[in-house]
Amino acid sequence: MDKNDPNNPQSPHLPASTAAASGSQRELSLEEIIQLANKIGLEYVDKRREAERLELLRTTVRAKIMNRIEAEAGSEASIPESRLKRLAEADSEYVQLLEQVAQLRAESEKLRIRYESYRNLFDAKRTMISYKKTELKTL
């Protein structure tokens, strides 16, 4: 079950205590939306920072692998730079790093989308409250 699914009792749209007690969904208050958006926004920043850090380390890891390959080949074997690069990029350690980067980017994108959704929900709720206030004044 997806934790972001509004039908999931553990979803941030519906606290577990409310789901168990009432069996129906309730609307989030503006304050709750702000708190969720803040929490998710901070998670997004952390994931993005981690992905960028690994992205920056990519060339360093590749260089370490190239040095290891060169050392394993011995001093008498001269391997051309382009071949060393190809061998390093095919190395399992490098491929694993690339997969980590891709996974962290995907996770950060999911968090960004959730953050923007909560921000849009906040704006929509705030607008609806304003409309209701205006409507009540005109009655």
Side-chain angles (χ1 to χ4, degrees):
M1 216 180 215
D2 185 14
K3 70 177 183 178
N4 300 328
D5 182 8
N7 297 324
N8 180 354
Q10 300 302 321
S11 171
H13 297 287
L14 184 62
S17 61
T18 306
S22 68
S24 64
Q25 283 190 332
R26 69 171 183 86
E27 286 193 27
L28 295 172
S29 70
L30 290 178
E31 185 177 332
E32 289 171 321
I33 295 170
I34 291 170
Q35 289 172 352
L36 283 170
N38 183 50
K39 178 182 167 231
I40 292 167
L42 293 174
E43 287 176 28
Y44 164 65
V45 168
D46 287 341
K47 288 289 182 192
R48 184 174 172 147
R49 184 187 76 239
E50 195 175 337
E52 287 176 2
R53 183 178 86 51
L54 287 180
E55 184 69 40
L56 291 172
L57 289 175
R58 212 173 84 184
T59 53
T60 305
V61 169
R62 185 176 58 210
K64 284 181 182 178
I65 294 169
M66 289 169 72
N67 288 340
R68 186 187 73 220
I69 292 169
E70 241 178 351
E72 288 171 357
S75 59
E76 62 275 344
S78 176
I79 303 173
E81 191 74 17
S82 60
R83 181 158 188 248
L84 263 177
K85 187 176 177 182
R86 275 195 330 270
L87 291 170
E89 288 176 348
D91 190 85
S92 62
E93 181 184 352
Y94 188 74
V95 171
Q96 183 181 8
L97 176 73
L98 294 179
E99 287 173 354
Q100 272 186 297
V101 169
Q103 180 183 358
L104 286 171
R105 282 183 183 169
E107 289 173 13
S108 87
E109 278 303 299
K110 286 179 188 176
L111 288 168
R112 182 186 63 79
I113 290 167
R114 284 185 63 204
Y115 169 76
E116 289 177 1
S117 296
Y118 280 118
R119 196 178 67 199
N120 291 338
L121 177 62
F122 174 81
D123 289 341
K125 280 188 159 285
R126 189 178 61 193
T127 302
M128 289 302 295
I129 289 171
S130 294
Y131 284 146
K132 285 180 182 178
K133 282 182 182 178
T134 304
E135 190 177 290
L136 289 173
K137 285 181 184 177
T138 59
L139 292 178

